[in-house]
Amino acid sequence: MFEDVDGPEQKTLIRLLIVIGIGLPILIEVATFGSMLGHHVVGDGGDGGDAATGTPTAVETGAVAGDEILDEPNLTARIASASVVTENDGWRVTLTVNATNTGQTPAAVRLGGVTSRSGSTVDGAASTDRIQPGESASVTESWLLPPGERPGSLTVTTVRYPPDGTPETETHTVTLGDIPVSNR
């Protein structure tokens, strides 16, 4: 096969072609493996759309345990605990909200429906009793979302009981953040 090769120039050329023929596929395989390993260890950065162009993506934030959920004078509410637990028939979302009445009239906080990130809504109806001025109360509610659905928002209604006896209500939509999912 190499009987026709004469001189050192031709031998060097053949050696170079053999090195390229064997080395190039090995180099490609090493680069591919390194890329896969890098994505596995570091992460792939999502869909690559904005990450590839270097433009930062906006991160949607929402309320999680420890966050305030009402922006009302004289009445504060904070998520005390939040969980999502997988069950056979769906994902169970449970929230506990602590409310404090810093106003002069009694008030209450009601937890209504939860809307999943895909848009399905599950009704709820838990409420604190009347919270007297200077006092606090907690309310816990649980919703069963379809399997695989993450909670996206919560409807919260505040009720004020003024001296004239006609309750005043105000409804708020609270965006929920990434509540950890477990399979207890």
Side-chain angles (χ1 to χ4, degrees):
M1 176 169 148
F2 296 114
E3 294 85 27
D4 299 353
V5 177
D6 293 338
E9 298 88 21
Q10 290 179 340
K11 288 182 182 179
T12 303
L13 181 60
I14 290 177
R15 287 184 187 133
L16 182 63
L17 290 174
I18 290 173
V19 168
I20 290 174
I22 294 173
L24 189 60
I26 290 173
L27 183 65
I28 292 170
E29 291 296 323
V30 168
T32 303
F33 180 72
S35 175
M36 288 176 14
L37 185 62
H39 283 292
H40 178 71
V41 172
V42 178
D44 64 358
D47 64 357
D50 288 338
T53 62
T55 305
T57 56
V59 177
E60 183 177 325
T61 59
V64 294
D67 290 345
E68 289 282 336
I69 60 170
L70 286 181
D71 186 20
E72 278 199 19
N74 304 323
L75 184 63
T76 62
R78 178 180 305 273
I79 297 177
S81 65
S83 66
V84 177
V85 178
T86 60
E87 296 182 358
N88 290 337
D89 51 347
W91 285 20
R92 172 86 42 203
V93 179
T94 304
L95 294 174
T96 298
V97 174
N98 291 338
T100 302
N101 184 354
T102 58
Q104 300 300 317
T105 60
V109 174
R110 294 180 185 158
L111 303 181
V114 164
T115 302
S116 72
R117 292 181 182 173
S118 68
S120 58
T121 301
V122 177
D123 290 333
S127 179
T128 63
D129 292 329
R130 286 188 187 199
I131 307 169
Q132 297 302 318
E135 295 184 1
S136 297
S138 294
V139 59
T140 300
E141 179 64 307
S142 182
W143 303 264
L144 185 64
L145 293 177
E149 296 286 325
R150 300 287 305 261
S153 64
L154 166 68
T155 302
V156 178
T157 303
T158 57
V159 183
R160 297 194 189 280
Y161 300 97
D164 69 6
T166 305
E168 301 167 358
T169 63
E170 188 171 344
T171 302
H172 306 270
T173 300
V174 177
T175 301
L176 297 173
D178 285 332
I179 299 170
V181 178
S182 68
N183 59 356
R184 290 191 252 168

